[in-house]
């Protein structure tokens, strides 16, 4: 049933546009290879044509018994705080499942009540108990890349513990996207198989698929997002694909987003791959 993924929105806020952000990293050379004036620290400024970053990340509990869940919850909330310090004015879409405890919801409600946090929470209620349904939450974080209508550049990423490294990678990707005139930037991984049996691999020589480590999608003129939305609801698409499956495998998020976007030529026309 396509109704097996219910998105229960829990408030949220929009952010004001910012013109740029800057980061400092320990490096002797900048992205182009030129030495910095100090020889030790460099500053990278990436100008946005429209607005700042919207991070779309996931937090879920894999089962009733999940001994490491508290660690992941603390990491997610710390990640939000670190991003706010590194990227002032950024906002968040946090995707969670219905197994997260009430204590988590109380902590998140405090964020919603604080004006300094621009967080929208998507809570998914799964109407079946198939093994691996938690991985669908990871897939849902991709929705914001093309479903979001605001001016923000959407960043889908894993919860990183090194915010400086994440900031450096985002800056380099955005610089490359601007230089190549691309609205979409995707990291990817190489499959051991020679060919993709589903014919949804990235449009590259070889067998590659999108990686959820970092994916960026700028608004641009809006055409790329419109093309993706024309394929219909990603949530319903995912639910229909996994309906007949007995087990939902880890990595289903990357498989689903590749299959969904492969139905159009949005990747060929607007994406850059790193």
């Amino acid at each position: 049933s396509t109704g097996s993924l219910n998105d229960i929105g829990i408030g949220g806020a929009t952010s004001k546009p910012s013109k740029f952000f800057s980061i400092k990293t320990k490096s002797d050379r900048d992205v182009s290879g030129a030495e910095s004036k100090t020889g030790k620290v460099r500053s990278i400024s990436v100008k946005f044509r429209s607005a700042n970053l919207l991070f779309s990340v996931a937090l879920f509990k894999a089962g009733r018994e999940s001994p490491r869940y508290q660690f992941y919850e603390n990491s997610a909330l710390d990640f939000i705080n670190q991003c706010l310090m590194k990227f002032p004015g950024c906002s968040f879409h946090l995707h969670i499942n219905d197994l997260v405890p009430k204590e988590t919801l109380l902590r998140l409600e405090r964020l919603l009540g604080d004006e300094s946090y621009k967080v929208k929470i998507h809570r998914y209620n799964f109407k079946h108990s198939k093994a691996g349904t938690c991985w669908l939450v990871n897939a849902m974080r991709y929705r914001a890349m093309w479903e979001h209508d605001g001016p923000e550049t959407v960043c889908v990423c894993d919860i990183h513990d090194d915010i400086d490294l994440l900031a450096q990678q985002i800056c380099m990707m955005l610089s490359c996207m601007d230089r190549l005139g691309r609205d979409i930037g995707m990291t990817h991984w190489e499959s051991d198989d020679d060919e993709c049996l589903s014919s949804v691999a990235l449009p590259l020589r070889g067998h590659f698929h999108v990686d959820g480590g970092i994916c960026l999608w700028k608004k641009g003129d809006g055409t790329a997002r419109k093309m993706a939305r024309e394929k219909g609801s990603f949530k319903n698409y995912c639910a229909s694909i996994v309906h007949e499956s007995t087990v939902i495998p880890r990595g289903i998020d990357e498989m689903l987003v590749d299959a969904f976007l492969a139905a159009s030529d949005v990747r060929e026309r607007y994406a850059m791959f790193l």
Side-chain angles (χ1 to χ4, degrees), residues 10-21:
I10 315 178
T14 57
S15 58
K16 297 181 180 179
S18 64
K19 294 181 179 179
F20 65 89
F21 65 83

Side-chain angles (χ1 to χ4, degrees), residues 52-194:
N52 59 11
L53 291 174
L54 186 159
F55 289 94
S56 185
V57 295
L59 170 66
F60 56 84
K61 193 173 182 181
R64 299 295 177 184
E65 299 297 327
S66 185
R68 290 184 59 81
Y69 170 75
Q70 193 60 54
F71 168 78
Y72 294 128
E73 177 186 318
N74 292 337
S75 297
L77 296 179
D78 184 60
F79 175 77
I80 291 175
N81 286 317
Q82 291 289 326
C83 285
L84 283 170
M85 289 189 290
K86 186 61 64 174
F87 310 110
C90 67
S91 53
F92 303 87
H93 282 194
L94 180 61
H95 304 266
I96 64 177
N97 66 349
D98 52 347
L99 292 180
V100 298
K102 292 181 179 179
E103 291 77 13
T104 301
L105 297 178
L106 290 175
R107 295 182 72 182
L108 294 175
E109 285 177 1
R110 296 191 190 102
L111 293 185
L112 296 177
D114 189 332
E115 293 184 356
S116 61
Y117 292 91
K118 302 178 180 67
V119 181
K120 182 175 183 179
I121 300 170
H122 298 270
R123 186 185 181 197
Y124 299 93
N125 179 25
F126 299 103
K127 291 187 176 180
H128 53 69
S129 57
K130 294 180 181 179
T133 52
C134 59
W135 298 115
L136 289 176
V137 180
N138 254 7
M140 291 301 100
R141 61 191 173 140
Y142 287 98
R143 294 171 52 195
M145 292 199 299
W146 56 85
E147 292 183 6
H148 180 63
D149 260 337
E152 293 85 359
T153 293
V154 177
C155 176
V156 171
C157 65
D158 295 328
I159 302 296
H160 289 259
D161 58 359
D162 189 337
I163 194 66
D164 290 322
L165 177 60
L166 174 64
Q168 180 183 359
Q169 292 172 333
I170 290 174
C171 283
M172 288 190 292
M173 287 182 67
L174 287 171
S175 294
C176 290
M177 290 163 64
D178 282 344
R179 187 165 61 249
L180 297 175
R182 299 283 178 162
D183 291 340
I184 307 167
M186 292 180 167
T187 54
H188 61 279
W189 56 273
E190 184 174 7
S191 173
D192 293 332
D193 300 323
D194 293 334

